[in-house]
Amino acid sequence: MSHDEYLGMRRFPGLDGLRAIAATIVVFFHFAGPKFVWPSGWVGVYIFFVLSGFLITTLLLREQDRTGRISLSGFYVRRVFRILPPYLVILGGIIAFVLLRGEFLARDFPHALKYYLTFLNEFFPGSHGNGSDNFFSGSWTLGIEEKFYLVWPFLLVAIGVGAARRKLALVLAAMAVLLALVPLTTGGWLLDFSPTAIYRSSIHYAILLGGCLLAILLHYRRSFAVLRPFTHPLAAIPIVGGFLVLHANLDPLWRETRQNLLVLLAYAVVTMLLLIVLLSPGPARWLLSTAPMRFVGERSYSLYLLQGPVHFVVVQAVPALGHTRLITAVTVFLVDLAIADLIHRWVEQPMIATGKRLLTRRQARKAARATVPADAPPVPARV
């Protein structure tokens, strides 16, 4: 793939398929039982982190090339209309559900809402299996990503419309700082951490920046030339093979190394290489760009957030599915996907379109003001 072909891509359909796989393995990790540990579903969130860093940075860099600047207000309008509506609808639905069941206090929602409504999800003490199950503890990843969205675009704007060297220095310096903070946020690199300490670790922001680093390297012609050999169809064989081998063995490797967070960094690097393969023409991109993969991938956000309440409702409806096993995971996934599809059609898409209309109207007003001469007579008001 040439650099011009890459810059000419307006969508990355192969990444929709990767998003679909990440969301699916997370659901199966939670509900398919111990026999399905081998898909290492718990690391699906780290695929999301690399994807988020890559996609957000790519959009910002292309906007900067196109307009000569990055509009922070435009970025946040798009994020608000993309992230908040499904998030608040699902959270509101869960609250209504527990209120109807008289479990609002029992599930610690008066305390939890202070975290969920401020996107400090990962700091809620009841998250990660350490307290009452309120069906929303998996949203800790949203807390990580939202704080990343607050800081990273500001840093890109702060360094100006500079060359690739300046942006590479920024992302590498930020990664170095975050990695240096890992021992302070977890207690060390090679310890038996508590789950809460791991989820609060700065390692997640470093992995997000791994996606940002990839976006910067691919955006500029000279650094793209270094990575271009990975876009060859034959390069997909060792990369996809290496990713699958590492992924399938990640759970035992994680345990054997006593939860060494360097394992997650290695996984992030391999995921970055996989993204290059999925951006390039070839069988892997074709497979993950098929309609079923795109369908699930486009609904993966709600699919991920809904898994807890859907599992509870499924078990209440069919008590035999109360045990974690394959049939339980399949049932939860299908019901989850059906509800996620409704939210995608009735909430996500309309609200994203609303955000785009707001930005379009604002741009039109700015363009209209720019074309009116400074000494033009005032337009008389209509009665």
Side-chain angles (χ1 to χ4, degrees):
M1 181 171 63
S2 70
H3 186 239
D4 290 336
E5 287 174 329
Y6 168 71
L7 293 181
M9 296 175 69
R10 291 294 171 261
R11 266 189 67 82
F12 306 126
L15 302 189
D16 284 334
L18 184 60
R19 191 182 288 114
I21 291 173
T24 301
I25 63 175
V26 169
V27 173
F28 275 71
F29 167 71
H30 285 139
F31 308 118
K35 292 183 179 179
F36 280 83
V37 171
W38 59 269
S40 303
W42 59 276
V43 294
V45 294
Y46 298 105
I47 297 176
F48 281 124
F49 285 156
V50 176
L51 279 169
S52 294
F54 171 77
L55 292 171
I56 290 301
T57 305
T58 297
L59 289 173
L60 293 173
L61 292 175
R62 291 188 176 188
E63 178 187 0
Q64 194 174 63
D65 279 357
R66 187 174 62 253
T67 66
R69 60 187 292 270
I70 292 173
S71 170
L72 289 175
S73 60
F75 172 81
Y76 290 118
V77 167
R78 290 191 296 270
R79 287 293 90 196
V80 164
F81 280 89
R82 170 70 180 91
I83 298 294
L84 281 184
Y87 181 89
L88 294 176
V89 165
I90 293 170
L91 178 58
I94 292 172
I95 293 171
F97 180 74
V98 298
L99 282 171
L100 289 173
R101 290 179 58 85
E103 298 176 353
F104 188 76
L105 294 176
R107 296 189 182 273
D108 204 16
F109 265 100
H111 185 210
L113 284 177
K114 293 183 293 185
Y115 296 88
Y116 293 156
L117 294 178
T118 56
F119 283 101
L120 296 171
N121 311 49
E122 73 274 28
F123 293 102
F124 173 49
S127 298
H128 328 303
N130 297 323
S132 300
D133 180 11
N134 60 24
F135 313 124
F136 210 57
S137 60
S139 65
W140 68 269
T141 59
L142 271 296
I144 299 288
E145 291 198 17
E146 291 308 298
K147 286 186 279 295
F148 167 76
Y149 295 149
L150 284 176
V151 176
W152 178 242
F154 274 100
L155 292 178
L156 281 181
V157 169
I159 65 171
V161 188
R165 189 176 303 173
R166 192 185 302 176
K167 293 185 174 68
L168 284 173
L170 170 67
V171 71
L172 291 174
M175 291 179 75
V177 170
L178 289 168
L179 293 176
L181 290 174
V182 168
L184 299 178
T185 54
T186 62
W189 279 90
L190 189 60
L191 294 171
D192 292 324
F193 314 118
S194 68
T196 302
I198 294 175
Y199 294 134
R200 293 175 181 176
S201 170
S202 58
I203 191 73
H204 304 111
Y205 297 100
I207 292 174
L208 275 159
L209 284 172
C212 302
L213 174 61
L214 178 63
I216 294 169
L217 291 173
L218 290 176
H219 186 76
Y220 293 97
R221 192 172 298 276
R222 290 180 64 181
S223 50
F224 181 92
V226 176
L227 297 178
R228 189 182 180 191
F230 296 116
T231 69
H232 194 282
L234 291 179
I237 299 173
I239 292 175
V240 174
F243 175 83
L244 292 176
V245 169
L246 176 60
H247 187 91
N249 291 280
L250 200 62
D251 194 70
L253 182 61
W254 174 252
R255 297 178 190 279
E256 289 168 8
T257 59
R258 297 175 59 204
Q259 300 180 348
N260 188 348
L261 295 185
L262 290 172
V263 173
L264 295 183
L265 284 181
Y267 183 78
V269 171
V270 178
T271 302
M272 291 162 62
L273 293 176
L274 181 66
L275 259 61
I276 299 176
V277 170
L278 297 179
L279 294 170
S280 312
R285 188 177 82 176
W286 173 85
L287 179 62
L288 269 67
S289 301
T290 55
M293 297 297 263
R294 292 201 314 273
F295 182 89
V296 177
E298 290 169 355
R299 291 149 182 82
S300 59
Y301 176 41
S302 297
L303 181 72
Y304 175 80
L305 289 178
L306 283 165
Q307 58 183 305
V310 168
H311 174 254
F312 182 82
V313 171
V314 164
V315 171
Q316 292 295 305
V318 187
L321 296 177
H323 300 288
T324 54
R325 49 184 176 158
L326 181 58
I327 185 63
T328 301
V330 171
T331 305
V332 170
F333 175 79
L334 293 176
V335 175
D336 193 351
L337 183 60
I339 300 174
D341 180 54
L342 296 178
I343 292 176
H344 179 71
R345 294 174 187 271
W346 294 353
V347 179
E348 285 187 69
Q349 288 185 318
M351 295 308 295
I352 290 172
T354 298
K356 289 180 178 178
R357 285 197 297 271
L358 288 175
L359 291 175
T360 300
R361 284 200 291 267
R362 189 178 70 175
Q363 291 167 359
R365 287 195 297 269
K366 286 183 177 179
R369 286 196 297 267
T371 56
V372 176
D375 57 350
V379 178
R382 292 185 180 181
V383 178

